[in-house]
Amino acid sequence: MIDKLLFWKKKKEISGDLLEEVQKHPVPRHIAIIMDGNGRWAKKRAMPRIAGHHEGTKVVQRITRIADKLGVEVLTLYAFSTENWKRPQGEVDYLMKLPEQMFSTFLPELIEKNVRVQTIGNFDKLPSHTQRAVQKAMDDTKHNTGLILNFALNYGSRDEMVQAVRKIAEECKENQLDANDINEETIASHLMTNKIEDPDLLIRTSGEIRISNFMLWQIAYSELWFTNVLWPDFTEEHLVQAIYDFQHRGRRFGGI
Ligand code: FPP
């Protein structure tokens, strides 16, 4: 049992009791996070919105470290939705540069810590420089067996479902699949998350109480945890609190 949790690099300690408490119980195997509030964080400081995204990227790294330390198996982060293309071009361009920026320093650490980078979303529609940076991170970590750090990039749940239905229809047309045999497993296996268990815990920051087209199928039985904290202010302690709350809810999956 780890008495005190040391972060990989900063050697900072999370203060005690709650952390010790969550380590006594199973942690959620898959945590998904809607990282929201970067723009408002920047606005409050009279800074450009991209300053919020810059700060938010640091939080991505801190939350990855603590999730890994706690033994979370999958961390899915909603980094760019299919709707985010509607933002001003300058902001989109900045967001598309973030993977390169982040992985230039973070990737060696991920490799060392046995973290595997994956993505869900329409990868091919990302700018080529973004694809290159993310592909390199995926390639360089593909044999890692620890935490899966799964970025939802150009991801939308309805779009994912449309693609899944098309594939299933195609397989029926080609007589590879009988329509009567389509079940939940068929659908799940045609989604972009097909090799990943559903999230146990979904977190959304910034006070918005909605799902915004994120993993609609996969969160059918997830525990939902909302906080007013803006993503750039989200700390390791907030994650530990969310996990603590998760551990104290009764998950019945429709049973009694
Ligand atoms: C939502 O805040 C945040 C985003 C759309 C982008 C999230 C991206 C990061 C945290 C950066 C890390 C990503 C990678 C791939 C390294 P918002 O801009 O909608 O905030 P607002 O609702 O306050 O305007």
Side-chain angles (χ1 to χ4, degrees):
M1 212 323 258
I2 308 164
D3 282 327
K4 282 184 180 147
L5 193 81
L6 296 179
F7 298 154
W8 300 345
K9 286 224 162 131
K10 291 167 71 185
K11 302 282 185 257
K12 181 186 161 196
E13 289 174 22
I14 290 185
S15 59
D17 294 351
L18 197 58
L19 181 62
E20 284 186 18
E21 190 56 35
V22 301
Q23 288 178 310
K24 289 181 190 153
H25 306 280
V27 297
R29 293 174 64 190
H30 181 176
I31 299 179
I33 308 184
I34 303 175
M35 309 180 288
D36 196 10
N38 293 351
R40 276 163 284 169
W41 183 92
K43 193 173 174 197
K44 268 172 46 179
R45 288 160 180 77
M47 291 158 91
R49 291 177 55 81
I50 59 170
H53 298 315
H54 176 76
E55 202 60 29
T57 307
K58 296 184 199 164
V59 178
V60 166
Q61 296 172 61
R62 289 201 288 268
I63 295 306
T64 301
R65 292 183 182 115
I66 178 84
D68 177 55
K69 277 283 181 190
L70 287 169
V72 173
E73 291 172 28
V74 184
L75 177 66
T76 297
L77 301 175
Y78 203 6
F80 194 88
S81 76
T82 46
E83 289 74 33
N84 286 154
W85 296 108
K86 295 181 209 147
R87 295 186 174 209
Q89 193 58 44
E91 184 173 342
V92 170
D93 290 346
Y94 185 80
L95 285 166
M96 289 298 143
K97 281 190 197 127
L98 282 178
E100 287 150 280
Q101 275 180 24
M102 186 183 74
F103 287 129
S104 68
T105 53
F106 198 37
L107 185 56
E109 198 177 329
L110 295 174
I111 295 169
E112 188 202 326
K113 290 292 163 187
N114 197 27
V115 175
R116 179 169 183 183
V117 176
Q118 292 189 350
T119 63
I120 50 173
N122 288 313
F123 192 77
D124 297 346
K125 302 267 165 56
L126 295 169
S128 52
H129 63 95
T130 313
Q131 286 189 35
R132 269 197 303 278
V134 179
Q135 191 61 54
K136 178 171 169 29
M138 292 195 287
D139 290 345
D140 289 0
T141 61
K142 71 178 175 205
H143 298 301
N144 287 354
T145 54
L147 173 71
I148 293 175
L149 176 57
N150 184 33
F151 286 100
L153 272 174
N154 193 17
Y155 173 84
S157 190
R158 288 186 172 184
D159 172 65
E160 176 188 35
M161 288 187 199
V162 168
Q163 292 189 41
V165 170
R166 275 199 198 127
K167 276 189 253 165
I168 292 169
E170 198 64 38
E171 285 171 29
C172 289
K173 203 171 103 192
E174 302 291 326
N175 291 322
Q176 294 160 359
L177 185 63
D178 185 329
N180 293 311
D181 292 335
I182 295 172
N183 56 25
E184 291 189 12
E185 182 47 44
T186 318
I187 294 173
S189 67
H190 285 77
L191 297 174
M192 293 163 177
T193 46
N194 69 78
K195 292 192 181 68
I196 291 177
E197 297 282 323
D198 291 342
D200 302 294
L201 173 63
L202 172 73
I203 295 172
R204 183 172 189 151
T205 59
S206 92
E208 309 295 349
I209 316 289
R210 56 177 172 267
I211 303 301
S212 300
N213 201 15
F214 187 50
M215 300 184 105
L216 299 176
W217 174 275
Q218 297 89 337
I219 61 164
Y221 287 102
S222 306
E223 292 296 324
L224 310 183
W225 195 86
F226 297 97
T227 175
N228 288 332
V229 173
L230 304 174
W231 178 249
D233 292 327
F234 193 79
T235 63
E236 294 87 345
E237 283 83 359
H238 293 120
L239 187 78
V240 170
Q241 181 68 54
I243 294 174
Y244 176 86
D245 292 349
F246 167 86
Q247 289 171 333
H248 291 80
R249 292 187 190 173
R251 296 183 87 196
R252 292 188 295 280
F253 300 96
I256 53 170

